[in-house]
Amino acid sequence: MDKYKKLIYNTFIFGISTFSSKILVFLLLPLYTRILSNADYGVVDLIVQTANLLIPTVSIGVTNGVIRFGLDKSNNSSDVFSTGLFTILGGFIIFLLFEPLLSKIKYISDFTSLIYVFVLMSSLRSLCTQFIRSKQLVRLYAFDGVLSTITTIAFNILYLVVLKLGINGYVLAIISSDFLSVVFLFYTAKLHRYIKLKPKKKSTAKNMLKYSIPLIPSTIFWWITNVSDRYIVAYMLGAEANGLYAISYKIPTIVTLLSSIF
């Protein structure tokens, strides 16, 4: 019976963490619609969606392998975390070479630097959260989710309301929250202990990549299914129309909120 109690407990803890991030959609929507114009919100939406497309590609989907192989006790934790970290950093260095191409995309060309930092910090935070999940630090995982929600709200108020940074402020709020989350998890879980330049088992890295890389197309195709229409709207009707479309899209999110939390 203990395993069922553990299942219920872990589901509840993960639910708290997931709910705190999902509720941001509704808590901050009035702030966004008040501070940002429809056109600004449309551009912001394209920036975030572009970053979300790039994240699994740049990180080579390695965070999927982190939790899969981290849960397997036969693998060394340092090998798993180090593989994830160096894969992300290596992918990001290669990604830097594509800056000239990214800077030619309409609407987001002026925000390429923010997109780069967004992708890096989001990838690192995903690495840290998945690794602590694999270490079964579920309470720390849940607390980080709540903390990330609070810091995101605080940074949004600071950057949008106080400093009035507009589009830059919106993206910087996400980046700042992810950065604090990475620092917090590194400190509390002492993740620096798991960074090793020389792996104990070289096969771990190879197996993680063999597991993670085939999952990239799945992630990309789900992205295409869910948000590719934003780009079509923006290019055919303009950023303002996309802003209205992105805001209205939040309403049906209520329907799927509870199921996604579970």
Side-chain angles (χ1 to χ4, degrees):
M1 187 65 185
D2 287 343
K3 63 181 180 181
Y4 295 109
K5 289 181 180 179
K6 185 177 181 180
L7 173 63
I8 294 172
Y9 174 77
N10 287 348
T11 302
F12 176 73
I13 293 296
F14 289 138
I16 292 175
S17 177
T18 307
F19 178 77
S20 62
S21 61
K22 297 293 183 183
I23 201 66
L24 270 178
V25 173
F26 307 106
L27 291 179
L28 294 176
L29 189 57
L31 174 66
Y32 296 149
T33 54
R34 180 180 177 183
I35 301 296
L36 300 173
S37 66
N38 291 336
D40 285 346
Y41 194 82
V43 173
V44 159
D45 183 65
L46 292 177
I47 292 172
V48 173
Q49 299 305 336
T50 300
N52 288 337
L53 170 64
L54 292 169
I55 288 168
T57 306
V58 173
S59 65
I60 317 182
V62 75
T63 53
N64 295 307
V66 167
I67 189 168
R68 156 66 180 84
F69 288 85
L71 286 169
D72 189 341
K73 303 303 181 182
S74 65
N75 295 308
N76 182 270
S77 296
S78 295
D79 289 348
V80 173
F81 186 75
S82 296
T83 298
L85 178 62
F86 295 134
T87 299
I88 289 173
L89 295 179
F92 183 75
I93 292 173
I94 296 174
F95 178 41
L96 291 173
L97 302 176
F98 292 88
E99 192 277 335
L101 179 62
L102 193 64
S103 63
K104 294 184 182 298
I105 300 178
K106 189 177 180 181
Y107 295 118
I108 65 173
S109 58
D110 295 331
F111 305 97
T112 53
S113 297
L114 281 176
I115 292 175
Y116 269 93
V117 181
F118 185 113
V119 169
L120 177 61
M121 294 314 306
S122 180
S123 298
L124 290 176
R125 180 172 186 260
S126 180
L127 166 67
C128 294
T129 54
Q130 294 301 328
F131 184 72
I132 64 171
R133 282 184 67 186
S134 73
K135 301 295 290 182
Q136 300 187 36
L137 302 173
V138 291
R139 284 184 291 184
L140 178 60
Y141 175 82
F143 183 79
D144 174 73
V146 175
L147 180 63
S148 180
T149 301
I150 295 172
T151 55
T152 301
I153 294 173
F155 281 123
N156 269 282
I157 294 173
L158 174 63
Y159 294 146
L160 293 178
V161 179
V162 179
L163 300 179
K164 302 185 184 301
L165 296 180
I167 295 174
N168 291 311
Y170 181 105
V171 183
L172 282 172
I174 301 174
I175 293 172
S176 299
S177 178
D178 285 346
F179 174 75
L180 285 184
S181 176
V182 170
V183 172
F184 169 73
L185 292 176
F186 254 87
Y187 176 77
T188 53
K190 297 180 173 58
L191 297 182
H192 62 276
R193 298 177 301 167
Y194 300 101
I195 301 176
K196 305 293 183 183
L197 295 176
K198 188 175 181 180
K200 290 187 176 181
K201 290 175 60 178
K202 294 182 179 180
S203 60
T204 300
K206 181 180 179 181
N207 291 333
M208 285 179 64
L209 293 177
K210 286 176 63 177
Y211 174 84
S212 301
I213 292 175
L215 298 177
I216 297 176
S218 175
T219 304
I220 292 176
F221 286 134
W222 271 113
W223 178 92
I224 292 174
T225 301
N226 292 327
V227 299
S228 59
D229 50 351
R230 313 286 180 86
Y231 291 86
I232 297 174
V233 171
Y235 276 88
M236 295 186 66
L237 302 177
E240 184 173 355
N242 184 60
L244 288 171
Y245 180 68
I247 293 171
S248 64
Y249 193 79
K250 304 297 183 183
I251 298 174
T253 304
I254 300 174
V255 178
T256 59
L257 177 61
L258 291 178
S259 61
S260 64
I261 290 172
F262 178 76

